[in-house]
Amino acid sequence: DVVMTQSPLSLPVTLGQPASISCRSSQSLVHSDGDTYLNWFHQRPGQSPRRLIYRVSKRSSGVPDRFSGSGSVTDFTLKISRLEAEDVGVYYCMQGTHRPPVFGGGTRVEI
Amino acid sequence: EVQVVESGGGLVQPGGSLRLTCVASGFSFSVFEINWVRQTPEKGLEWVAYINGGGNTIYYADSVKGRFTISRDNAKNSLYLQMNSLRVEDTAIYYCAPGGLKYFDYWGQGTPVTVSS
């Protein structure tokens, strides 16, 4: 199976400041159809995960534009341009290119 | 508005069985691929099973193959997970996640399963 490695494990951030989370895969996430199926999810305390980003950089419906995704092949990044209080929680990357889908271990963002 | 609601979790002894149900609305259920995903503090998020819209393509994680069965009833907008021969390590919150293996568009609130004697 593909291994997804996130860093850092924990990220203290000041409100209004930027945050960046890294995700690396153990093999290329470029699918045979040419797309790269790398998603980002956010899970607030006590809630279920919510998808923020799909196919590396496409924001899901209703996701603020302060969230952006980038990267290619095996190295990916989620950036929050200005942290707001509602952004605390755990962020997960997930690859859907290869079966089985695999999630990263998570990065906890805290104020 | 998309709604995904899981139910059926609970406490069961090792070797026992449970049937989870997911009822969804707000999208074309019969054409949507759907996953079951589970979460524990120790192992994080783990994909469990997948079924396509017609119910004729199914995949399982190796950890549950032969013990869990995913199925759906499109007339009832419902997805099921029959869990047999449960083990302590199956203890988790189980989520229904429509959107296929690549996307996981939506998530329910989850239903907790505890396997313990």
Side-chain angles (χ1 to χ4, degrees), chain A residues 24-61:
Chain A
R24 286 189 170 176
S25 59
S26 60
Q27 55 186 274
S28 170
L29 298 187
V30 181
H31 193 274
S32 57
D33 65 11
D35 275 322
T36 300
Y37 297 97
L38 186 285
N39 302 323
W40 288 96
F41 298 86
H42 176 215
Q43 186 173 30
R44 294 189 178 110
Q47 296 187 14
S48 55
R50 171 201 179 198
R51 195 185 68 187
L52 298 175
I53 302 285
Y54 64 100
R55 292 219 306 264
V56 180
S57 60
K58 300 184 182 303
R59 275 189 300 275
S60 296
S61 176

Side-chain angles (χ1 to χ4, degrees), chain B residues 12-107:
Chain B
V12 61
Q13 292 188 337
S17 298
L18 274 179
R19 189 195 197 205
L20 306 184
T21 298
C22 167
V23 178
S25 61
F27 59 93
S28 299
F29 185 87
S30 62
V31 302
F32 245 74
E33 306 160 275
I34 309 181
N35 303 281
W36 284 102
V37 179
R38 64 187 181 185
Q39 184 175 30
T40 64
E42 299 79 25
K43 296 182 70 175
L45 290 164
E46 179 189 16
W47 169 79
V48 173
Y50 158 93
I51 188 168
N52 72 339
N56 55 357
T57 300
I58 288 172
Y59 303 120
Y60 297 100
D62 287 344
S63 56
V64 306
K65 203 173 295 182
R67 301 186 299 120
F68 289 12
T69 302
I70 189 172
S71 62
R72 64 191 297 162
D73 184 340
N74 288 340
K76 296 181 178 180
N77 276 22
S78 295
L79 175 78
Y80 307 102
L81 187 68
Q82 177 66 44
M83 305 187 296
N84 298 330
S85 303
L86 281 161
R87 305 168 180 168
V88 170
E89 55 266 34
D90 295 319
T91 295
I93 297 175
Y94 284 74
Y95 294 102
C96 172
L101 292 170
K102 294 179 172 64
Y103 291 114
F104 294 76
D105 299 61
Y106 311 112
W107 295 64

Side-chain angles (χ1 to χ4, degrees), chain A residues 10 13-16 20 24-25 32 35 40-41 45 47-49 51 53 66-67 70 72 102-104 107 110:
Chain A
S10 179
V13 184
T14 302
L15 288 175
S20 180
R24 286 189 170 176
S25 59
S32 57
D35 275 322
W40 288 96
F41 298 86
Q47 296 187 14
S48 55
R51 195 185 68 187
I53 302 285
R66 64 179 181 274
F67 291 94
S70 63
S72 63
V102 175
F103 294 84
T107 294
E110 52 199 12

